[in-house]
Amino acid sequence: MKAVSASGGALEYVDVEVPAPGAGQLLLDVKRCGICGSDLHSLKHGDDLADVLTLCGYTRFMRSGEHVIMGHELYGVVAELGPWTRGTLAVGTPVVTVPLVRHGKKVDGIGLSADAPGAYAEQVTVQESLTLAVPNGLDADTAALTEPMAVAWHAVARSEIRKKEVAVVIGCGPVGLAVIAVLKARGVETIVASDYSPTRRALARRSGATEIVNPATESVWQRLGGHGFNQTMPDEYNAGIDLIESSSKLPVPWWSTWRALDTVGATHPKRPVVFECVGVPGMIDGILADALFIPVWWWWA
């Protein structure tokens, strides 16, 4: 079959053997496959990522000297059932999948390991238990967005953001836009999006962002000052002193009032929920350094 192989930071159009589905696996005819930011990072910086993942106990991530067929944002049609499959997805069923495949007890990310060839190819093997039928005649282009949209849905769910809280989305590439769309769908009222690209900023607005920031001309953290956040250590300290002085006017010790308010969360500082959707080294460190109100929370803890 035809495939695109990644090696040494370059892509090559090649002929390879059709993969055989193992136990509990399916062979799919690939119909669509997105290009993920992880693919771009891995193509150029795979060795660095592999070193980090080795520390996490995974030693099979792609390295520059290997030939790897990438691609994991896939939509396909079941072409063949491997041995020991349940048969719940018949041949011809349009499907999407969680891009993990298991060999014994070893689990690999599809398209990010030489041991799990991906969907930049005519066919790909996937794990039957992680594969879902595409419902209701959903078109192929939309179905192929299932994996990145699932990433965004998971991130927003894990954040436990409430509708009245402020969301900050740093980076408006595909994942950032997906996060914005999910935030909007879940009813979050204030979504501040930041990106250098005017095209991506326009897409962020269309996806549901309520405020747009060009970081080349404005700090997103300065923009948050208009939402009532404490932005400096003196702001935070003054808020605490104001509360103590107000509580001191009551006929009970101020610390008793403080403890009662703290129990119900009234002393907790207002804060945004930040989604880092760029993924390049240093971004998280930069966010923590720039968001001055974050590192002073400990003072009142």
Side-chain angles (χ1 to χ4, degrees), residues 159-247:
S159 77
E160 299 182 356
I161 189 170
R162 296 186 290 270
K163 293 181 179 181
K164 296 294 184 180
E165 291 183 309
V166 176
V168 177
V169 181
I170 307 296
C172 299
V175 170
L177 295 174
V179 167
I180 292 169
V182 173
L183 288 166
K184 186 71 173 179
R186 292 174 71 105
V188 176
E189 296 176 3
T190 305
I191 306 169
V192 183
S194 174
D195 200 287
Y196 286 98
S197 166
T199 300
R200 288 184 170 185
R201 292 198 299 272
L203 288 171
R205 178 77 73 182
R206 290 177 58 190
S207 297
T210 56
E211 298 184 37
I212 305 296
V213 175
N214 177 2
T217 59
E218 180 185 7
S219 166
V220 67
W221 314 114
Q222 292 175 345
R223 175 71 70 86
L224 293 182
H227 293 283
F229 295 110
N230 292 329
Q231 293 189 285
T232 67
M233 290 179 69
D235 289 342
E236 193 75 7
Y237 296 156
N238 277 316
I241 294 170
D242 289 344
L243 180 55
I244 291 172
E245 291 181 346
S246 297
S247 300

Side-chain angles (χ1 to χ4, degrees), residues 102-155:
R102 186 157 64 181
H103 304 95
K105 287 298 183 180
K106 295 180 179 179
V107 181
D108 297 296
I110 291 175
L112 294 171
S113 169
D115 296 285
Y120 293 171
E122 292 180 286
Q123 294 182 301
V124 63
T125 55
V126 300
Q127 202 73 29
E128 181 193 38
S129 60
L130 301 180
T131 302
L132 303 170
V134 175
N136 304 325
L138 190 67
D139 67 277
D141 290 344
T142 303
L145 295 173
T146 300
E147 195 272 347
M149 290 301 297
V151 170
W153 187 271
H154 175 72

Side-chain angles (χ1 to χ4, degrees), residues 11-12 36 41-42 50 53 81 96 159 179 195 201 206 216 227 240 244 280 285 299:
L11 298 174
E12 182 183 6
C36 179
H41 292 319
S42 301
L53 292 175
L81 280 63
V96 294
S159 77
V179 167
D195 200 287
R201 292 198 299 272
R206 290 177 58 190
H227 293 283
I244 291 172
V280 299
D285 289 343
W299 194 82

Side-chain angles (χ1 to χ4, degrees), residues 24-85:
Q25 297 176 0
L26 306 172
L27 179 68
L28 306 185
D29 290 329
V30 177
K31 301 300 181 181
R32 299 288 190 280
C33 186
I35 300 173
C36 179
S38 299
D39 295 332
L40 302 176
H41 292 319
S42 301
L43 180 65
K44 299 298 183 182
H45 309 291
D47 290 331
D48 294 335
L49 292 170
D51 289 341
V52 172
L53 292 175
T54 295
L55 296 175
C56 300
Y58 179 64
T59 61
R60 290 149 64 98
F61 193 83
M62 62 183 289
R63 291 188 176 273
S64 58
E66 298 177 307
H67 291 270
V68 177
I69 299 173
M70 304 179 77
H72 58 270
E73 297 180 357
L74 64 98
Y75 162 85
V77 173
V78 177
E80 181 181 336
L81 280 63
W84 303 106
T85 50

